[in-house]
Amino acid sequence: MPTTLSESGAFRGTRPYRGTQVRRQRVRAAWTFLAPMLIVLALVAGWPLLRTFYFSLTDSTLSTLGTASFIGLENYLVYDNGQWYGLLTDPLWWQSVWNTLFFASVSVSLELVFGVIVALVLDAEFKGRILVRAAVLIPWAIPTIVSAKMWTWMLNDQFGIINELLMTLSIIDSPIPWTASATFSMWAVIMVDVWKTIPFVALLALAALQMLPKDCYEAAEVDGIHPVKVFFRVTLPLITPALMVAVIFRLLDALRVFDVIYVLTSNASNTMTMSIYARQQLVEFQDVGYGSAASTLLFLIIALATIAYLYVGRNQLQLGGDT
Amino acid sequence: MNSRQVNALLKRTGFWLLITVILIYALFPFYYAVITSLKPSSELFRVDFWLTSLDFSNYAQILTERSFVRAIANSILVSVSVVFIALLLGITASYALGRVRFRGRSTVLLVILGVSMFPQVAVLSGLFEVIRALNLYNNPAGLILSYTIFTLPFTVWVLTTFMRQLPMELEEAAIMDGATPWVTITRVFLPLMWPAMATTGLLAFIAAWNEFLFALTFTLSDSQRTVPVAIALISGGSQHELPWGPIMAASVTVTVPLVVLVMIFQKRIVSGLTAGAVKG
């Protein structure tokens, strides 16, 4: 419930200023204060997005941005000389869509499970809890590029500590080329992403856990119900709304993933995501029209996912605006 | 010992074992980067779990390299400016969104939420054109401008939730005294908002310090790069001869300030993250 002046108790009864000069002045001031922010957002987000949509309908290249000609939907799909061409017929694009969906669903699921486990541990009372919580936060603070480089080194096929460790423990008998192999590179990328983002999920889950009422736990303890059952029947349903928020934040991040993959495996097709594909077309191949078409489709996929989520979870995500 | 005591002991041991596993998992990669960075290049390719030498030659190498020092300066310039702009625009916007009731407020909030969900690559070509038109290509100012796309929505969002929690009596008193909204913000709210501004400023700083895609795309020469791009582009003779010692030294150098900040402001960061997400 927002505390706005027009509803405050002090003014009820006489309501001296509803619709008065003070109120008008406040509304005018509000728009004046919002204007700079809205202008900046229009300049860096709104206008560029519209231009990207437009470029996707042209044959622009990086050097002919202004003078390109309109070619309709040809970047997406075109029938020419008995053959279909365009983004939607490119198997590499479809692979990048599949890779992105696979990466996002697997890594977010793993983060959710491990994040909740870490949160449950941090929710318990023990000595040194604050230190452990600080330590858990460290992976989150490390720049993505740095964590990707650190893991690339640890996953190095000849000199990496992971292969060394696995071979010492006789889990594998020959080194695994983690970032180069078709089978393992996606899992390597997921592993690094999960390592980096568990803290975020854990902190949100922990915040939710600490807001739970203590009395239902006492009741369950008195009744002698097994803690695992209590977790699934009481705790989990109560923290689900907070977890859903963490999941949507993480999913949106994972669907646009770029930097961790760019550093770990560069443009390899086994781990190519939609962002990597679009940027490769845009910058490396300088094909702005085609690359913009790929960006536009990524935008549409994320927008659809967001709208679907807002529609399904509209009761949980309150905008807190005009309530 | 009866079975009950054994059970309790097992539980305690299991719990501490779990904590140990979590700690090793969270800390080991960074620890390994630190010990790698302190090895001379001759010992680099022998796997060690413990610190075996204290050799600072990797640090000496990167800190005397002009492009890396320049990248640190660029990163500081960009991140500090981004924080400043985001807070300046954010505090006024959050006053409007958090304290004034007007038509279109939820629309503005929805737009802000929408922008924060943009995939960066979706604006890449359009933003490239804007930056080139403003003559900011290959210039830190272009990065400062482009970074507002992710710092500004977040800052406004979190500051608005904090702004809402302040008691209304303060503002009423100011209005009774005939203060204008601008005076109310600067004299009444600003002093109370410092903790919230420190939190959001810190989060915006970390986001700007770590950003990679725009920095990679909108800069060209070594002297204009930021730290993440500089580290990603450190290369040796070939793909298979990366200079891991200097790379790890550079990584540790740019990460230690962040880790220290996070340790000091742990509580604030947690409250900022949860305010941005849970209440969002």
Side-chain angles (χ1 to χ4, degrees):
Chain A
M1 192 62 202
T3 50
T4 47
L5 263 167
S6 54
E7 289 175 341
S8 69
F11 290 104
R12 206 166 289 147
T14 51
R15 291 194 179 266
Y17 80 67
R18 188 180 265 280
T20 63
Q21 209 190 339
V22 176
R23 189 174 158 75
R24 277 202 301 276
Q25 189 196 12
R26 280 167 63 82
V27 172
R28 216 168 37 238
W31 282 109
T32 320
F33 287 156
L34 282 174
M37 178 204 69
L38 291 174
I39 290 168
V40 170
L41 283 187
L43 181 70
V44 300
W47 174 249
L49 188 66
L50 292 178
R51 288 300 283 175
T52 301
F53 290 165
Y54 171 73
F55 286 144
S56 77
L57 303 173
T58 69
D59 59 359
S60 305
T61 62
L62 213 49
S63 48
T64 62
L65 269 188
T67 55
S69 49
F70 187 81
I71 57 167
L73 293 174
E74 282 185 26
N75 285 320
Y76 296 92
L77 194 63
V78 64
Y79 189 76
D80 186 39
N81 240 342
Q83 270 279 314
W84 288 97
Y85 296 98
L87 190 60
L88 294 174
T89 62
D90 185 351
L92 189 59
W93 187 75
W94 283 108
Q95 192 182 354
S96 75
V97 172
W98 164 248
N99 284 343
T100 310
L101 296 177
F102 181 79
F103 169 84
S105 47
V106 174
S107 56
V108 173
S109 316
L110 290 174
E111 285 154 31
L112 193 64
V113 172
F114 290 119
V116 170
I117 293 176
V118 171
L120 286 172
V121 170
L122 289 177
D123 193 39
E125 297 279 342
F126 61 91
K127 255 193 186 156
R129 181 169 117 174
I130 293 179
L131 282 179
V132 175
R133 194 175 70 175
V136 166
L137 207 53
I138 284 182
W140 174 83
I142 293 177
T144 313
I145 298 306
V146 169
S147 66
K149 279 286 179 198
M150 278 168 18
W151 280 91
T152 313
W153 172 232
M154 286 169 58
L155 293 167
N156 188 295
D157 51 348
Q158 294 172 62
F159 315 111
I161 193 165
I162 306 261
N163 276 337
E164 170 90 11
L165 198 64
L166 292 177
M167 280 169 62
T168 314
L169 299 173
S170 335
I171 295 172
I172 54 173
D173 35 56
S174 61
I176 296 176
W178 289 99
T179 55
S181 105
T183 340
F184 293 106
S185 53
M186 182 50 99
W187 288 102
V189 167
I190 290 173
M191 197 156 77
V192 178
D193 188 69
V194 167
W195 177 77
K196 170 145 172 72
T197 42
I198 283 178
F200 177 77
V201 180
L203 284 178
L204 292 193
L206 181 62
L209 283 174
Q210 289 178 337
M211 284 192 283
L212 294 184
K214 295 281 171 245
D215 42 358
C216 49
Y217 290 101
E218 283 158 17
E221 204 168 21
V222 170
D223 291 347
I225 298 169
H226 195 269
V228 174
K229 203 172 172 189
V230 174
F231 172 76
F232 282 106
R233 293 286 172 82
V234 181
T235 314
L236 200 55
L238 284 172
I239 62 170
T240 297
L243 291 183
M244 289 310 286
V245 175
V247 165
I248 184 76
F249 271 73
R250 283 298 312 136
L251 261 184
L252 291 173
D253 253 4
L255 287 173
R256 61 192 173 194
V257 61
F258 176 79
D259 31 13
V260 62
I261 293 178
Y262 186 84
V263 171
L264 267 172
T265 58
S266 190
N267 289 330
S269 62
N270 291 313
T271 52
M272 179 172 277
T273 59
M274 287 188 273
S275 284
I276 301 258
Y277 180 92
R279 186 189 179 273
Q280 191 185 30
Q281 298 292 339
L282 278 172
V283 181
E284 271 146 57
F285 302 159
Q286 311 225 337
D287 192 343
V288 173
Y290 194 75
S292 297
S295 316
T296 304
L297 285 184
L298 170 62
F299 175 82
L300 290 179
I301 289 173
I302 289 188
L304 276 179
T306 313
I307 292 168
Y309 175 82
L310 284 177
Y311 184 75
V312 173
R314 62 189 181 281
N315 298 326
Q316 283 153 10
L317 195 96
Q318 290 172 346
L319 269 178
D322 299 337
T323 43
Chain B
M1 262 204 285
N2 59 32
S3 69
R4 222 193 145 114
Q5 278 170 311
V6 172
N7 225 335
L9 190 72
L10 275 178
K11 256 188 201 159
R12 277 197 72 75
T13 321
F15 182 73
W16 282 101
L17 210 64
L18 192 58
I19 288 182
T20 317
V21 170
I22 290 174
L23 280 180
I24 291 176
Y25 181 66
L27 297 178
F28 186 79
F30 189 58
Y31 162 80
Y32 194 63
V34 172
I35 60 173
T36 304
S37 72
L38 292 171
K39 277 183 176 181
S41 51
S42 53
E43 285 176 34
L44 199 59
F45 297 117
R46 201 187 63 220
V47 174
D48 289 305
F49 286 85
W50 311 107
L51 194 63
T52 50
S53 58
L54 264 181
D55 180 278
F56 287 93
S57 61
N58 292 323
Y59 288 91
Q61 190 190 328
I62 54 147
L63 291 176
T64 50
E65 196 161 319
R66 187 176 287 165
S67 64
F68 185 71
V69 177
R70 192 64 201 267
I72 292 182
N74 286 337
S75 268
I76 293 175
L77 170 72
V78 169
S79 308
V80 170
S81 317
V82 164
V83 169
F84 183 76
I85 293 174
L87 286 180
L88 184 74
L89 297 178
I91 195 91
T92 49
S94 67
Y95 169 79
L97 292 168
R99 310 297 301 192
V100 185
R101 170 171 277 234
F102 61 92
R103 248 166 199 278
R105 183 171 65 168
S106 18
T107 315
V108 174
L109 280 167
L110 258 180
V111 166
I112 292 170
L113 195 65
V115 171
S116 71
M117 287 168 180
F118 269 29
Q120 274 177 305
V121 83
V123 293
L124 205 61
S125 47
L127 201 52
F128 181 77
E129 193 194 31
V130 169
I131 282 178
R132 222 163 51 170
L134 296 171
N135 223 348
L136 296 177
Y137 180 67
N138 198 23
N139 184 331
L143 295 184
I144 294 171
L145 179 71
S146 58
Y147 287 4
T148 51
I149 194 178
F150 54 88
T151 51
L152 197 52
F154 171 79
T155 314
V156 172
W157 193 262
V158 177
L159 285 181
T160 302
T161 55
F162 276 106
M163 196 66 107
R164 276 214 189 104
Q165 293 162 0
L166 295 177
M168 59 195 145
E169 285 80 7
L170 285 165
E171 206 179 351
E172 284 165 9
I175 288 178
M176 291 310 241
D177 292 345
T180 60
W182 176 248
V183 172
T184 316
I185 292 184
T186 50
R187 296 287 171 77
V188 180
F189 284 124
L190 208 52
L192 296 169
M193 289 294 282
W194 278 119
M197 287 170 73
T199 304
T200 44
L202 201 61
L203 291 171
F205 183 90
I206 292 174
W209 184 267
N210 296 353
E211 202 282 334
F212 182 65
L213 177 57
F214 286 167
L216 180 70
T217 310
F218 299 148
T219 59
L220 192 63
S221 48
D222 278 350
S223 60
Q224 307 300 318
R225 289 201 176 111
T226 56
V227 158
V229 183
I231 289 179
L233 296 182
I234 293 179
S235 56
S238 77
Q239 246 256 280
H240 299 284
E241 289 172 45
L242 287 177
W244 285 108
I247 290 178
M248 289 300 131
S251 301
V252 172
T253 310
V254 304
T255 307
V256 163
L258 288 190
V259 170
V260 170
L261 277 178
V262 168
M263 295 293 105
I264 297 175
F265 296 104
Q266 197 206 134
K267 265 210 151 123
R268 286 204 186 300
I269 288 176
V270 173
S271 75
L273 282 179
T274 46
V278 173
K279 287 171 191 158

